[in-house]
Amino acid sequence: MRNLPDLDQIASFLAVAEELSFRRAAERLGLDQSAVSRRVKDLENRLGFQLLFRTTHSVRLTDAGRTFYDANSQLMGQISGSVDAARRIAQGREGVLRLAYMTFAAMDLLPRALAIYRGTNPDVSPVLAYQHTQLQKMSLARGEIDLGLMLGPFSHSDFQTLEISREGAEALMAEADPLAVKDVLTVTDIANAPLVIGNDQQWDYYRRLVEEMLATHGHRPTYAFEAPSLTGILGLVRAGLGITIVPRVMGQMCPKGLVARPIADAGFEIQMVAAWRRPASRQVADFVKALRKITKAG
């Protein structure tokens, strides 16, 4: 590897080979003619064979020089292209952005942020993965995702976070549910009703939040059904098989056949955060800007 020529020597030789003039090559490169001549001579010495025939009036390629030119003109083009491609990625103009999200983020936050982000970063390809909060933390630590939208709080010296929302909880129930006649519910109402909630594999962190809310008031939950997805949970609730607890934003987007009721004494907030590894790439930084626009807009 010590005998390989450097790029400055090759670039000087290519310019001379294309111009067939040391003077014009020097002007093109913005160098002194003597510097270009010295680089080409050093290149020939390093290679151990002659690349150019020189006279006082002309310059032409040797057969070896022609072969060397053909191969290296392509190489320099590839190097230039790789630099441009890497620069576009470093500037956040191209590349891939790996995003993980939990259920509640998918309802409103993620689509709005992506719409803003794609408007300014059309050539970056977002790759989406549904992951519950604990799995997102592991994926961030392993470098498998670039940013996670998860339930908070989350604090770690290796990661930076942005609080996106902090919302109270509401109960969702079928329109015909006996609790639907009340305008406001209490935690005791919730504790005495059959609950429909996500299973422990996908909803472990959120389940603990709900259980802590009930425990604060001296209650333990009665789970009627557990389901792995929000679709399954809402289907069970719509069928009148129980009620479920959701962030207020979901109550505002209440699906047909269901009603949302606030929980007066819940003392319970659901925090949603974005988390990413320090330092942030340009793609991540631009997505965080989109999230900040949403949080400011409310």
Side-chain angles (χ1 to χ4, degrees), residues 126-141:
V127 176
L128 308 180
Y130 170 76
Q131 295 181 356
H132 58 79
T133 293
Q134 294 301 100
L135 181 55
Q136 286 189 44
K137 293 176 182 178
M138 290 188 287
S139 295
L140 281 170

Side-chain angles (χ1 to χ4, degrees), residues 189-203:
D189 291 327
I190 303 300
N192 292 332
L195 279 178
V196 179
I197 199 164
N199 65 24
D200 198 43
Q201 289 74 34
Q202 295 293 329
W203 295 67

Side-chain angles (χ1 to χ4, degrees), residues 206-268:
Y206 183 69
R207 283 169 64 114
R208 288 201 300 273
L209 294 177
V210 172
E211 289 167 1
E212 287 171 6
M213 175 190 75
L214 293 169
T216 300
H217 291 77
H219 300 293
R220 297 182 64 182
T222 302
Y223 294 138
F225 292 94
E226 300 178 22
S229 69
L230 183 62
T231 303
I233 292 169
L234 296 182
L236 293 165
V237 172
R238 187 179 290 108
L241 297 173
I243 68 173
T244 193
I245 311 300
V246 296
R248 184 174 295 124
V249 67
M250 274 208 60
Q252 296 169 351
M253 302 170 65
C254 191
K256 184 178 180 181
L258 302 178
V259 294
R261 295 291 182 262
I263 307 169
D265 56 346
F268 170 55

Side-chain angles (χ1 to χ4, degrees), residues 33-48:
Q33 184 173 331
S34 60
V36 174
S37 179
R38 185 170 56 254
R39 284 183 179 181
V40 174
K41 188 62 178 176
D42 289 344
L43 174 60
E44 290 176 321
N45 290 336
R46 179 170 289 190
L47 294 174

Side-chain angles (χ1 to χ4, degrees), residues 99-121:
L99 302 172
Y101 64 95
M102 39 71 69
T103 298
F104 301 138
M107 302 300 296
D108 179 60
L109 171 68
L110 179 62
R112 289 171 62 194
L114 281 174
I116 295 172
Y117 182 75
R118 290 305 298 271
T120 56
N121 302 71

Side-chain angles (χ1 to χ4, degrees), residues 141 154-161 276-278:
F154 176 48
S155 178
H156 191 287
S157 59
D158 290 342
F159 303 100
Q160 189 170 349
T161 60
W276 62 95
R277 182 176 289 278
R278 303 174 189 268

